[in-house]
Amino acid sequence: MNKPLDADSLATLKFGVGQPVQRAEDPVLLRGEGRYTDDVSFDNQLYLAMVRSPQAHGVLRALHVDEARAMPGVVAIYTGADLAGYKPQTSKLPLKSADGSPMRKPLRPALARDKVRFVGDAVACVVADSADAARAAAEAVTLDIDELACVVESADGAKPGAPQLYDDVPGNVVLDYHYGDSAQVDAAFAAAAHVTRLHLVNNRIVINAMEPRACVATFEDGRFTLYAPTQSVLSSRAGAAEVMNVEPSQVRFIARNVGGSFGMKGAIFPEYICAMHGARALGRPVKWTDTRSESFLSDHHGRDHEFEVELALDAQGHFLAVRATGTANMGAYLTGFGPLIPALNVMKHMIGTYRTPLVEVRTKCVLTNTVPITAYRGAGRPEGNYYLERLVDTAAREMKIDPIELRRRNHIAPDQMPYRAPSGSVYDSGEFAAILDEALETADYQGFPERERASAAKGLWRGLGVGQFLEVTAPVTNELGDIKFEADGGVLLSTGTHDHGQGHWTSFAQVVSERLGIPFDKIRLMQTDSDALPAGGGTGGSKSLMASGAAFAEASDLVIEKARDAAAQVLEASAADIEFVDGALTIKGTDRAIGLLDLAAKLRETGGSLDVSHVHQSSPSTYPNGVHICEVEIDPETGHAQVVGYTSVNDFGVLVNPLIVAGQVQGGVVQGIGQCFMERTVYTDDGQLASGSFTDYAMPRAEDAPEVRFFSHPVPARTNPLGVKGCGEAGCAGSLTSVMNALTDALARHGVPAVDMPATPLRLFQAISAARG
């Protein structure tokens, strides 16, 4: 007979894996008590302001700083010459071009010296005793620049005769990436009964995290402390130390609350280097906080690819090969992950859930006179899925095959797992046809004709789009999972991933609470201070739960082993007779027991502990997937489009917290809708950012966000201890595909050709007007 559960055991069940626990992070944030970088201040701090190039490309002949230096409150002005001793930055990716030559890696100095390469390129900084004084002096610095011709589009940058950004990067191409067997792919296309071809643009995105970047630097006793937002305090510490030519032990990196990142905030930006230099040179803390308008130029941007994509099919509609050839904009400097995104990451996502035997991808990564490009929510995963799913729908339309049936004919079946894709990925699990069927049912696919007639009665065009996505998450290496039993009776978890909106504290606490039977409210999380973390890989690539979650699961098992031996001594029994159940260690067959927290307290009295420091070594990528079904309405008289129905069925493996997962998907979907309908980054021919504020750059608002219906079809991953699959970026992968397929469907029903993202009212109105003649 089972004994009744006590209050602590009931609480553990309520807060265990699979429960929709409300985020423990939120009350503090909702009360306005979050501690962001701009909230950090010191009594004697100085303030930093940047001087940026107003021109996109030119030779920097001189900087005139005397007037600014004499202004009230100015303490110092630094130029590129002052910071010349620091190590320039570039990408460290070991990528090679098609001819086997290594990727070209032009260097970015802390401040531009001889040449400026984009509007916003940092050339100097002012340190003053107030933020206003620093900004006023920065505006007083004048530059002598011999203007050069510039280029802003990647396709133009790769053309013969284009303006050259660097003498040692001919043709502006840093990487001519190629994957696949060209001869086999050519043969497959030659033998195909049908070939679908599309020219697709993946528009440039201004990332616009809710919290603008900021930093505060101090220097004491030969050691820097840098407060700044990031996705990994350990990686950022290492990056800052490398740039400053010091050992990592000489840098402490602290990132408390971070208001969104989406891949952008992990870099060591010029402002951070300037602040650290000033703190050391002046012996006082130096603070910098970005303005929203300046962030359009100082942050990194995302996406910006242009591809010709092709799908070869036999007469029955079976996929024979897929090919993508295009250019990708890198901006004026290489970021850490910039070239990876349109090359390797796009390639890995051109297969999706289908049995396509062959894949070929060729990408030219091109430098231009624009803001540098970095990862943006998905970093090649949404892009690759978008290219593939647009091809699938278009092929179905051209071959007059139902798009659902075409997908079913090509799905990888569950009994084919593990499935080795031609991209090199090995899918461990997935029920792709079943998820599609579930999505069609929950979205009432059969009822669409009636809804289309209802829209038509209002003078609106309605379309339905299916987006079946599969993501390849980043693999996991060396992630920390420390568990420490504290004197106050609480438990402190430490790990190297970093929360900037994902709900790590809640999710990790659920894992440990279930494994160890510790009450949820006694668990805290540390991931914000490099001094407190001996190891860790950071957040990125939708891998945090596979990394930190696995580390804590394994560490929990080690705690139980340690506790079993300790309880044997306390209870005067053999360790083999001790069992661990519901947070207590009991002698089998008796009622003699001691709770885990009580045992930890007892050990502390004699100098012992149950603390465990553990590093999860590695686990492979996971393959989250799903089907998103979107319905849109278009007003043909104005070109205005709106999402009017959205259903998603997703396989994220085991859901530790369904509420958080649903929120992650919803956020990604809205970001995808923004890219599909409104977010348009515009550069003029002379390299000026014409969409440099929210006056000219549209972001989705609450009225643009539909109800995103979330359903789960979990197929546990077989490659990590928790059976989880990443979810943080999947909303973008599902929404880009389904929204644009729905829009294209609505247009096609009225004889209007497809349009590229963003499908703004003007672009749609022009396409509809042209089709009407």
Side-chain angles (χ1 to χ4, degrees):
M1 180 175 178
N2 294 327
K3 64 179 182 179
L5 294 175
D6 58 23
D8 283 348
S9 297
L10 287 170
T12 300
L13 288 176
K14 180 181 177 182
F15 292 99
V17 170
Q19 297 300 313
V21 179
Q22 291 191 349
R23 296 186 355 148
E25 298 87 345
D26 289 346
V28 168
L29 301 179
L30 293 172
R31 292 195 300 266
E33 297 170 359
R35 184 81 164 157
Y36 296 89
T37 301
D38 188 51
D39 294 318
V40 177
S41 289
F42 295 89
D43 291 339
N44 63 335
Q45 73 187 12
L46 299 169
Y47 294 84
L48 181 76
M50 305 301 293
V51 180
R52 303 184 185 279
S53 172
Q55 294 175 325
H57 197 197
V59 177
L60 181 58
R61 297 298 184 189
L63 289 93
H64 302 288
V65 301
D66 290 346
E67 179 184 347
R69 200 186 302 275
M71 294 177 69
V74 173
V75 177
I77 297 179
Y78 301 119
T79 67
D82 299 306
L83 275 60
Y86 299 133
K87 186 175 180 178
Q89 298 187 78
T90 189
S91 174
K92 295 182 178 180
L93 295 169
L95 298 174
K96 293 185 177 181
S97 288
D99 61 5
S101 62
M103 179 175 71
R104 297 180 182 274
K105 300 179 179 180
L107 301 177
R108 182 180 190 179
L111 293 173
R113 293 196 292 273
D114 302 324
K115 200 176 185 185
V116 294
R117 292 181 169 88
F118 72 98
V119 173
D121 207 352
V123 296
C125 65
V126 176
V127 183
D129 58 15
S130 73
D132 288 341
R135 283 193 289 266
E139 292 176 1
V141 175
T142 59
L143 313 179
D144 285 346
I145 298 175
D146 289 345
E147 192 169 3
L148 299 172
C150 70
V151 63
V152 298
E153 300 290 345
S154 59
D156 293 336
K159 291 178 180 177
Q164 298 295 290
L165 273 73
Y166 298 87
D167 294 339
D168 57 349
V169 184
N172 297 317
V173 177
V174 294
L175 178 69
D176 185 4
Y177 174 83
H178 179 259
Y179 181 91
D181 188 317
S182 297
Q184 290 188 13
V185 172
D186 288 346
F189 273 88
H194 182 82
V195 174
T196 290
R197 293 184 174 89
L198 290 173
H199 177 93
L200 296 175
V201 173
N202 214 291
N203 42 317
R204 176 183 283 247
I205 295 295
V206 178
I207 295 175
N208 280 324
M210 185 177 293
E211 173 208 20
R213 287 189 302 109
C215 71
V216 183
T218 68
F219 187 79
E220 291 184 81
D221 300 324
R223 192 167 189 248
F224 292 103
T225 298
L226 182 63
Y227 299 82
T230 185
Q231 299 184 191
S232 168
V233 293
L234 291 175
S235 295
S236 292
R237 179 189 68 175
E242 183 177 10
V243 171
M244 302 303 290
N245 296 319
V246 299
E247 294 298 318
S249 60
Q250 292 176 265
V251 177
R252 181 185 185 188
F253 201 107
I254 298 175
R256 291 169 179 165
N257 292 117
V258 175
S261 175
F262 312 112
M264 180 266 291
K265 289 181 179 174
I268 302 299
F269 287 88
E271 299 87 2
Y272 305 170
I273 305 168
C274 292
M276 294 173 78
H277 175 82
R280 179 163 59 182
L282 302 171
R284 295 169 63 183
V286 176
K287 181 174 183 175
W288 170 81
T289 302
D290 213 351
T291 62
R292 179 60 69 184
S293 57
E294 192 176 9
S295 72
F296 275 73
L297 297 173
S298 63
D299 291 349
H300 296 155
H301 291 176
R303 311 282 196 239
D304 203 349
H305 310 158
E306 189 170 349
F307 273 90
E308 299 284 343
V309 292
E310 305 166 272
L311 180 64
L313 306 92
D314 67 14
Q316 288 73 45
H318 298 119
F319 301 166
L320 303 177
V322 63
R323 182 162 57 196
T325 307
T327 61
N329 202 328
M330 296 291 100
Y333 299 102
L334 284 187
T335 62
F337 294 103
L340 180 75
I341 298 162
L344 188 65
N345 278 10
V346 163
M347 182 278 295
K348 286 183 177 180
H349 294 84
M350 289 299 296
I351 296 298
T353 62
Y354 308 114
R355 299 186 310 273
T356 310
L358 297 167
V359 60
E360 183 178 15
V361 172
R362 184 156 212 153
T363 308
K364 287 186 177 182
C365 296
V366 184
L367 295 163
T368 66
N369 298 110
T370 61
V371 171
I373 292 288
T374 194
Y376 172 66
R377 200 165 192 167
R381 298 169 180 87
E383 296 94 313
N385 277 286
Y386 173 67
Y387 302 143
L388 177 61
E389 286 295 287
R390 285 292 307 275
L391 278 171
V392 172
D393 258 28
T394 304
R397 191 173 296 113
E398 291 174 349
M399 296 184 73
K400 296 180 171 52
I401 301 174
D402 180 82
I404 304 303
E405 174 59 26
L406 185 61
R407 287 176 170 84
R408 286 178 173 143
R409 291 181 191 180
N410 290 281
H411 274 145
I412 300 163
D415 61 8
Q416 293 178 287
M417 301 294 177
Y419 181 81
R420 182 172 293 277
S423 60
S425 296
V426 179
Y427 302 172
D428 66 290
S429 58
E431 298 175 355
F432 308 137
I435 286 179
L436 176 60
D437 291 342
E438 185 175 337
L440 295 172
E441 181 178 352
T442 54
D444 186 20
Y445 182 76
Q446 297 300 325
F448 175 75
E450 182 179 345
R451 294 191 294 277
E452 184 188 17
R453 288 191 291 271
S455 296
K458 298 184 292 183
L460 304 175
W461 297 356
R462 196 178 188 107
L464 182 146
V466 173
Q468 183 147 22
F469 73 91
L470 179 142
E471 290 196 324
V472 183
T473 66
V476 175
T477 56
N478 297 334
E479 190 52 74
L480 180 70
D482 277 9
I483 300 178
K484 181 179 180 181
F485 293 82
E486 299 191 289
D488 64 0
V491 174
L492 178 66
L493 310 181
S494 299
T495 190
T497 56
H498 196 284
D499 186 330
H500 40 277
Q502 293 89 344
H504 285 183
W505 177 13
T506 303
S507 301
F508 300 161
Q510 287 180 255
V511 171
V512 173
S513 177
E514 178 172 282
R515 295 259 172 163
L516 296 181
I518 297 171
F520 179 85
D521 60 2
K522 290 186 178 294
I523 300 174
R524 298 187 301 112
L525 178 64
M526 161 54 68
Q527 51 182 187
T528 61
D529 186 343
S530 64
D531 275 7
L533 304 173
T539 296
S542 294
K543 69 177 189 301
S544 291
L545 196 54
M546 292 127 57
S548 296
F552 287 129
E554 293 167 350
S556 296
D557 293 340
L558 295 175
V559 168
I560 293 171
E561 289 181 23
K562 200 172 181 179
R564 188 175 282 118
D565 292 336
Q569 295 184 25
V570 171
L571 298 174
E572 300 178 336
S574 167
D577 292 331
I578 300 295
E579 60 181 358
F580 181 79
V581 180
D582 295 333
L585 296 114
T586 305
I587 301 176
K588 296 177 183 176
T590 75
D591 60 358
R592 294 183 60 203
I594 184 170
L596 188 66
L597 295 180
D598 292 335
L599 178 61
K602 195 171 188 66
L603 290 175
R604 193 178 301 110
E605 294 173 359
T606 59
S609 83
L610 295 178
D611 298 351
V612 166
S613 182
H614 173 70
V615 174
H616 175 69
Q617 295 298 323
S618 66
S619 54
S621 299
T622 60
Y623 302 92
N625 63 90
V627 174
H628 289 204
I629 296 180
C630 174
E631 295 186 27
V632 303
E633 285 182 337
I634 302 173
D635 184 341
E637 303 306 317
T638 65
H640 180 263
Q642 186 173 7
V643 175
V644 293
Y646 201 100
T647 299
S648 70
V649 178
N650 308 273
D651 170 17
F652 299 130
V654 174
L655 300 188
V656 171
N657 188 312
L659 188 64
I660 288 178
V661 172
Q664 287 290 300
V665 170
Q666 290 161 357
V669 167
V670 174
Q671 284 181 284
I673 290 172
Q675 182 174 356
C676 289
F677 283 161
M678 60 196 72
E679 295 192 49
R680 182 168 178 248
T681 307
V682 179
Y683 275 96
T684 61
D685 290 341
D686 60 354
Q688 296 294 323
L689 183 60
S691 53
S693 74
F694 287 144
T695 302
D696 303 295
Y697 186 92
M699 294 278 287
R701 298 168 179 253
E703 63 184 9
D704 302 305
E707 177 190 0
V708 179
R709 302 171 69 226
F710 173 84
F711 298 90
S712 179
H713 183 109
V715 181
R718 303 170 184 172
T719 54
N720 64 74
L722 295 176
V724 297
K725 303 175 183 179
C727 71
E729 299 162 317
C732 279
S735 59
L736 290 189
T737 56
S738 61
V739 172
M740 289 307 291
N741 274 343
L743 192 79
T744 301
D745 178 62
L747 295 174
R749 291 171 183 270
H750 297 272
V752 180
V755 299
D756 268 316
M757 300 185 291
T760 61
L762 175 61
R763 185 171 285 178
L764 286 171
F765 181 78
Q766 290 173 333
I768 293 168
S769 298
R772 287 173 167 174

